[in-house]
Structure formats: C-alpha cells, structure tokens
Amino acid sequence: MKWKTNILDLKAYQPGRSTEAVKKEFGLDNITKLASNENPYGYSLKVLETLQEKPSQFAIYPDGNGSVLKEALSRFYNLPEDRFLLGNGSDEIIGIISRSILRPGINTVMATPSFSQYKHNAIVENAEVREIPLTKEGDHDLNAMLEAIDENTGVVWLCTPNNPSGVYIAEGDLIPFLEAVPKDVVVVLDEAYREYVVAEDYPDSLQLVEKYPNVIVLHTFSKIYGLASFRVGYAIANEEVIAKLNPVREPFNVNTFGQWVSVAALEDQDFVESCREKNREGLQQYYSFCEEEKLSYYPSQANFILIDFGISGDDVFHYLMSKGYIVRSGVALGFPTCVRITVGTKEQNDGIISELRGLLAEKRNK
C-alpha cells in the first residue's frame, strides 16, 4: 500500500484512562477523573432544557452552515457571521488550518511542550516542524519563536493559556510579537481556556483579529461550557481568511445537537461566571497545598495545574489511580517530574490533596 512515509511512525492521540478501565484494574467502586480538563460542574441547565424541548431529527443532516449557532456567536461577539468557522471541536479547525497551509517545503513554528495536535497535523501534511522550548517559567519564548520564522513559515501556533503549563501570554508581550511577524504568516491564538482567565493583561483577541488580518483565534465549547462530548469549536478571523478555510471544512461537520446546545450554553453567562469563580477557588486550594509542601508549580490561568513532585510523574499518576483518582502524568506531556491535575469541585480537590499528602509522607519516610 502506498502510505505517506511521514505518517508511518505517527502515533494516534492517546486520551486519558477511562473510569471504567481504572475501576476494573484496581477493583474500585468510585473514580474521580481529573485528567482531561473537563468542567466538574457539568453544563448549564439551559442545555438540558434545550435537549428536552427539541424534537429528535436523527434521520436529517445537520445544517451544514451552522446558521443558528453562527447567528448566536454573531450576537454574542457583535461580529458578522462571516467571521466564524465552526468545527467538530477546535481540534478539527487545527486540522483545517494545517491542511490549508502546510505542505512539504513549508514550516510551522510552535512552543514545546504545548498542545500535541499542532505538531501531529504538521507531520500529516509533511511540513517541517520547528519547536521552541518554553521558558523555565512555562512561557512561550516569543523572541526565539520570531527567530525561527523565515520566508517558508506558514503557521505559528500560540496556545494561551498554554496546555499543559497553564501560563498565558500577556498583551504587552503579544502585541510586539504580532507586529514583528510577517503579514503572510498565519498566527493562531488557541484560546481553549480563555473563559477561565482572570488576568487583567490578557489580550482582547477580538481587537487583535481586527488589527491583524493574519490572526486566527480558536475557541471551544468543550471546556468551561461543559459540552466536551458534543464536539463544537469555532474560529474567529478576518472574513477573507474564513473564506479560504471554509471549503476545506468537511460538510455537516457540526452535529445538530451540538449546534443547539452550544447556542443554549452561550446564553447562560451566569453559569460561566460561576464556574470561573469556583475554578479560582480550586486553584487556590492547590496553591496552598504546594506552598505548604514546598512543591514547585506553574501559576495557572486555566482549569488545571501542573505540579512538580520531584519524582517520576508516572509514579504519582499510578499512586493516585490506585486511590481512585485519574490525573495526567507529565511524562507524556514533556514535564517528566510533574503531574497535571484538572481543578475539580472543592470536595474532589480536598480528596486528591489528602492522597497527595499521603504520598509525600511516604516519600519522606523512605
């Protein structure tokens, strides 16, 4: 078979362990999953009401244009509908951008460690990948990224707040970077966790899209809106950019129910604000724990925290899993002595912190 040689060593995306698999392996009845940065508070009640009220239309294709959702986004952001591109999660839009621009002879610049799908899609398109290590504080090294850009660069990826470090790019750092990037190079601001951010100097990406035609902003309904299983994301960009990307999009790529519930979720900003406040309270639980235990961590603007335990992240991961908590080992994320923990409810955070204190006590007594 005539496979692309560049995909032969490519690995499929590896999701975190499922609750059922962990229950079976360790003989546990209750599992708390804090590995995939899902919203522990679920979703708005408006979503449930919408699902109950809407008639079933399983035999009918979705609206391929996503008109109702685009109308809702247009009202919410006060932007024309032609500034939005809908995707089967923002993951699909990353693929659409890559497929539209990247190819042999074209390179793409990204931070590392960061979201794995930037590199994954570049490899599929047989483009050159230029990875720039994060600073020791977990920031994008924007100066080094600028130096990596040349006449053959197609896309620069900026994940802000970054996954897995949780660190964001401040406006004062981002604006000079955008000014320096060549105008024919696309800059993607992946803001999957934007709704969790409370930093006052976080950039207004809508203004950036207006000022810089080469900027594409990615948002998702999978995180704070709690709609991960419906798979709905979207891009905001200049209308000419959207017009170039849209033909590459698969037809009917956003399912009917995903469109309906996303509109409902967008209308309930009280729920979003509540989740943001509870998330900050949860992060403070972890900050206090780390400071008491003298553990290094990355201050987060997202709904997760990356903590350095000074031992293999896999060891911490397996210990917690045996206690009924699923987290994400930093070994697979590029932080081998760290663990990434999704911020849960207060009770979930208290529970996992208690288990972590037990692990650290065992470590000290050895």
Side-chain angles (χ1 to χ4, degrees), residues 210-340:
E210 292 298 320
K211 186 174 181 180
Y212 303 99
N214 58 326
V215 169
I216 301 174
V217 176
L218 303 185
H219 286 182
T220 181
F221 285 96
S222 295
K223 301 305 178 183
I224 205 166
Y225 288 103
L227 303 180
S229 68
F230 287 97
R231 310 305 302 125
V232 184
Y234 57 99
I236 308 172
N238 178 283
E239 62 269 20
E240 294 180 5
V241 171
I242 297 295
K244 290 291 193 299
L245 296 174
N246 199 35
V248 184
R249 176 181 60 85
E250 296 291 335
F252 313 114
N253 62 327
V254 180
N255 68 83
T256 298
F257 295 100
Q259 294 181 38
W260 285 344
V261 297
S262 296
V263 172
L266 199 63
E267 292 173 348
D268 192 353
Q269 290 301 305
D270 288 340
F271 174 78
V272 172
E273 177 61 28
S274 172
C275 291
R276 179 164 47 243
E277 291 177 359
K278 292 175 182 176
N279 183 69
R280 297 316 300 179
E281 293 168 1
L283 280 170
Q284 190 57 53
Q285 288 178 262
Y286 287 103
Y287 294 162
S288 298
F289 159 70
C290 290
E291 288 157 9
E292 290 167 9
E293 297 290 346
K294 296 180 172 54
L295 297 173
S296 297
Y297 65 93
Y298 293 87
S300 177
Q301 288 291 323
N303 69 332
F304 56 84
I305 184 169
L306 188 67
I307 302 174
D308 191 343
F309 288 90
I311 58 177
S312 171
D314 282 349
D315 290 344
V316 181
F317 165 75
H318 286 293
Y319 177 88
L320 288 174
M321 194 161 52
S322 72
K323 303 296 184 180
Y325 291 92
I326 307 175
V327 297
R328 197 68 187 255
S329 169
V331 172
L333 302 175
F335 290 89
T337 60
C338 293
V339 165
R340 189 191 71 191

Side-chain angles (χ1 to χ4, degrees), residues 36 44-45 53 77 87 93 103 126 270 300 304 330 334 339 344 353:
S36 300
S44 166
L45 290 177
E53 293 170 0
Y77 289 107
I93 300 177
R103 57 191 182 276
N126 207 11
D270 288 340
S300 177
F304 56 84
V339 165
I353 286 171

Side-chain angles (χ1 to χ4, degrees), residues 82-267:
D82 61 6
R83 308 295 292 276
F84 300 96
L85 178 74
L86 305 182
N88 181 33
S90 54
D91 292 337
E92 186 195 20
I93 300 177
I94 293 169
I96 290 171
I97 294 168
S98 300
R99 190 177 178 189
S100 301
I101 298 173
L102 300 180
R103 57 191 182 276
I106 297 296
N107 67 71
T108 180
V109 178
M110 64 196 69
T112 185
S114 192
F115 187 47
S116 63
Q117 292 304 288
Y118 312 143
K119 181 177 181 179
H120 183 96
N121 281 279
I123 292 173
V124 170
E125 301 305 328
N126 207 11
E128 178 191 351
V129 178
R130 298 183 176 179
E131 295 181 282
I132 308 301
L134 297 173
T135 69
K136 61 183 177 60
E137 293 82 15
D139 293 298
H140 285 65
D141 189 338
L142 295 178
N143 289 330
M145 295 182 80
L146 275 176
E147 292 176 4
I149 297 171
D150 62 19
E151 66 276 6
N152 293 318
T153 302
V155 184
V156 177
W157 305 91
L158 302 177
C159 185
T160 176
N162 185 50
N163 180 10
S165 65
V167 178
Y168 73 105
I169 303 174
E171 182 177 51
D173 297 321
L174 182 58
I175 297 298
F177 177 83
L178 294 177
E179 288 287 345
V181 172
K183 304 310 177 190
D184 63 344
V185 175
V186 167
V187 179
V188 178
L189 302 180
D190 188 346
E191 297 186 338
Y193 301 94
R194 192 266 174 271
E195 290 85 1
Y196 284 108
V197 174
V198 298
E200 293 182 358
D201 58 348
Y202 190 80
D204 183 340
S205 54
L206 297 187
Q207 291 186 5
L208 298 180
V209 168
E210 292 298 320
K211 186 174 181 180
Y212 303 99
N214 58 326
V215 169
I216 301 174
V217 176
L218 303 185
H219 286 182
T220 181
F221 285 96
S222 295
K223 301 305 178 183
I224 205 166
Y225 288 103
L227 303 180
S229 68
F230 287 97
R231 310 305 302 125
V232 184
Y234 57 99
I236 308 172
N238 178 283
E239 62 269 20
E240 294 180 5
V241 171
I242 297 295
K244 290 291 193 299
L245 296 174
N246 199 35
V248 184
R249 176 181 60 85
E250 296 291 335
F252 313 114
N253 62 327
V254 180
N255 68 83
T256 298
F257 295 100
Q259 294 181 38
W260 285 344
V261 297
S262 296
V263 172
L266 199 63
E267 292 173 348

